Amino acid sequence: MSSVLTVWGSPSAVSRTGIVAAHMSDRLEAAGHQVDRLAVRDLPAQALLHADFADPAIRAALDRVEKADALVVASPVYKAAYSGILKAFLDVLPQFALRGKAVLPVLTGGTPAHVLALDYALRPVLTSLGATHVSQGWFVHDQYIHPADGDGPDRVDPQGTAFLDELVDAFADGLDGARGIPA
Amino acid sequence: MSSVLTVWGSPSAVSRTGIVAAHMSDRLEAAGHQVDRLAVRDLPAQALLHADFADPAIRAALDRVEKADALVVASPVYKAAYSGILKAFLDVLPQFALRGKAVLPVLTGGTPAHVLALDYALRPVLTSLGATHVSQGWFVHDQYIHPADGDGPDRVDPQGTAFLDELVDAFADGLDGARGIPA
Amino acid sequence: MSSVLTVWGSPSAVSRTGIVAAHMSDRLEAAGHQVDRLAVRDLPAQALLHADFADPAIRAALDRVEKADALVVASPVYKAAYSGILKAFLDVLPQFALRGKAVLPVLTGGTPAHVLALDYALRPVLTSLGATHVSQGWFVHDQYIHPADGDGPDRVDPQGTAFLDELVDAFADGLDGARGIPA
Amino acid sequence: MSSVLTVWGSPSAVSRTGIVAAHMSDRLEAAGHQVDRLAVRDLPAQALLHADFADPAIRAALDRVEKADALVVASPVYKAAYSGILKAFLDVLPQFALRGKAVLPVLTGGTPAHVLALDYALRPVLTSLGATHVSQGWFVHDQYIHPADGDGPDRVDPQGTAFLDELVDAFADGLDGARGIPA
């Protein structure tokens, strides 16, 4: 069993990215891992934007990153890249905060034209944080993500997340053998 | 005469990026342009991070972008990319907020190893915002930027900004002929 | 009237990218510009791959770049980026071969998931070559490009190139005012 | 013991990139792995640039990729990205040619300003090829690489490759546990 931190950065309280992050978190828990869930939006905004490292909530969040064996990092695509709110959180992490950790990156968005933001924008940032392994990631189209409404609670379409689920399962399987990852 | 908005995104009140932005703003004013200066840090943090478009300060900032003929966009390099606070501001702009505008991008940082963040990270975001022209930009090494201290006010080393000054001058010269820019 | 060099890099003699490049060249000529057309595939392969600057055909190609006021640069998307054959040609250009020139970048490909290769892969390379202005570019989906067959000659679907045509027209219009481009 | 293919793409017969690739290959062999070495420059240029899959030398090269458990991929930085000759080789690989394989990327160049080409240009291409794991890579400055001359054979300065050697060792250690890599 490993500990996984799922962190997502969306400005909205009702967030498609958050729904996908919850879906992945549930699946990682079902695979036997311990999952901690962090919505960047719940952190104090001014302390985050002003990089106030003395703020207790910021420090607690950094501790949660440090304690995790692995992370899921999720963001909507805005302006052809990850969100500013996610990046504001990554900015307050220590320079090599992801050293020794495996990371599974995920983006959500309304057009397939933004798929490559994962590999050209988000992945380089995760790599710069020293991540030991950044696995193949996935872009989930908004059309497959349904916020809670009269028809029921938050849910994702299985056809839209089938490949994502495979990635999550492989990620989950790999965590216990994580020492085998080339640094 | 054109109107130029200089916007910079640094989490710190004392900011090397802000010093460079001020230097460029002064130079653009000396060239006869009207310059508006916007530090993203001065915007209300929660409204910005939560993309609260009803917030009067956010709306006023969007108006300033809309009214500008051209922009200088400046950021420190964090985690091999632009800052999250800058991106949080770009995220609240309309999708094609930079259409019809010329943009001069600038980064500051402590290592030349991060120079390419300008062309691989910041420029694609500015292009996605529909900027009509994103000019050659520049990376200013922190060693050339001196916050105010006992020796005097904020200042930049001329040797560290010589080429930047040339870019600013060419940008200033070009603004009045901006209709000549291929869309 | 300006002189424009259209250069495209495809490994195939029958090339969708070449069809798009021809379409754009025809349109630039119709707008009154002088257009030179260069298929990288027609250059001597070994001289190109081995960067043999003494080869007369390579030297002649470099002259054509130098003489152009502006360039159209076109490539298929392979492996989430521009083609190697196009890059092999860009590699033999002098470091600032595009200084003082405007460039219109274009990609073709079979999936919209590759759209961002234009701004994250091709544009940084063109910028590194010192291009004074790299305009908004376009990704043309293969489905809109039809190589010659029993139904007629090479052709593009108007609906697939409508926005590209607008970009070409704006590019053509801007060339004569090119001195107004901010450097 | 695993089989590793070291592939490098330089247009020059005397190549600093080739010297680094040889250094890494020797080290991987010393660690007990079987190393196959492939200079893209030795492949038939026209068959490569024209993507002639019927060419026996091209087919043999593709076989060598398929048989490898892992790859070292090395390139000089040209025009702020990997070389065209390397990319021409990657272009002829099947779409997911690196699935199930670990990859160690390396760049060489004359200025630290190009360091990020590794993570923003080369890594996205390797990821698009389906690589199961692309490890942290390294940029070796040309000043540490010495082609053979009157003073001796090809050699690298230990101070310039100390961290690269650590990456190679970690990569070598990880290969036997490669099944533990999250897909």
Side-chain angles (χ1 to χ4, degrees), chain C residues 1-6 33-38 56 58-72 89 93-94 96-102 175:
Chain C
M1 190 194 77
S2 294
S3 65
V4 182
L5 176 66
T6 300
H33 296 294
Q34 180 183 331
V35 179
D36 182 18
R37 302 165 190 230
L38 171 55
I58 298 295
R59 286 164 61 182
L62 300 190
D63 278 348
R64 290 161 73 183
V65 172
E66 189 178 352
K67 282 178 185 146
D69 297 316
L71 287 90
V72 169
F89 180 66
L93 295 180
F96 296 114
L98 301 183
R99 188 168 279 170
K101 303 182 196 295
L175 289 179

Side-chain angles (χ1 to χ4, degrees), chain A residues 120 127 130-133 136 174 180-182, chain D residues 120 127 130-133 136 174 180-182:
Chain A
Y120 277 109
T127 300
T132 296
H133 176 69
Q136 291 281 344
I181 301 173
Chain D
Y120 277 109
T127 300
T132 296
H133 176 69
Q136 291 280 345
I181 301 173

Side-chain angles (χ1 to χ4, degrees), chain B residues 111-171:
Chain B
T111 163
H114 286 159
V115 166
L116 285 179
L118 199 151
D119 290 322
Y120 277 108
L122 181 54
R123 185 180 300 270
V125 170
L126 299 172
T127 300
S128 89
L129 282 157
T132 296
H133 176 69
V134 185
S135 75
Q136 291 280 344
W138 196 245
F139 174 96
V140 183
H141 195 291
D142 287 346
Q143 74 186 82
Y144 298 120
I145 313 169
H146 307 284
D149 57 18
D151 292 339
D154 292 340
R155 63 199 184 283
V156 297
D157 282 355
Q159 78 224 57
T161 57
F163 191 67
L164 176 65
D165 290 347
E166 283 184 39
L167 288 179
V168 172
D169 293 349
F171 190 73

Side-chain angles (χ1 to χ4, degrees), chain B residues 82 99 102 119-121 123-136 163 167 170-171 174-175 177-178 180-183, chain C residues 82 99 102 119-121 123-136 163 167 170-171 174-175 177-178 180-183:
Chain B
Y82 41 76
R99 189 167 278 168
D119 290 322
Y120 277 108
R123 185 180 300 270
V125 170
L126 299 172
T127 300
S128 89
L129 282 157
T132 296
H133 176 69
V134 185
S135 75
Q136 291 280 344
F163 191 67
L167 288 179
F171 190 73
L175 289 179
I181 301 173
Chain C
Y82 42 75
R99 188 168 279 170
D119 290 322
Y120 277 108
R123 186 180 298 270
V125 170
L126 300 172
T127 300
S128 90
L129 283 157
T132 296
H133 176 68
V134 185
S135 75
Q136 291 280 346
F163 191 68
L167 288 180
F171 190 74
L175 289 179
I181 301 173

Side-chain angles (χ1 to χ4, degrees), chain C residues 11-69:
Chain C
S12 305
V14 175
S15 157
R16 284 182 168 78
T17 304
I19 292 171
V20 170
H23 171 79
M24 298 170 75
S25 298
D26 292 348
R27 198 165 180 100
L28 286 162
E29 280 180 349
H33 296 294
Q34 180 183 331
V35 179
D36 182 18
R37 302 165 190 230
L38 171 55
V40 179
R41 190 181 190 276
D42 292 340
L43 297 177
Q46 180 157 324
L48 185 65
L49 271 196
H50 295 194
D52 178 2
F53 298 104
D55 183 274
I58 298 295
R59 286 164 61 182
L62 300 190
D63 278 348
R64 290 161 73 183
V65 172
E66 189 178 352
K67 282 178 185 146
D69 297 316

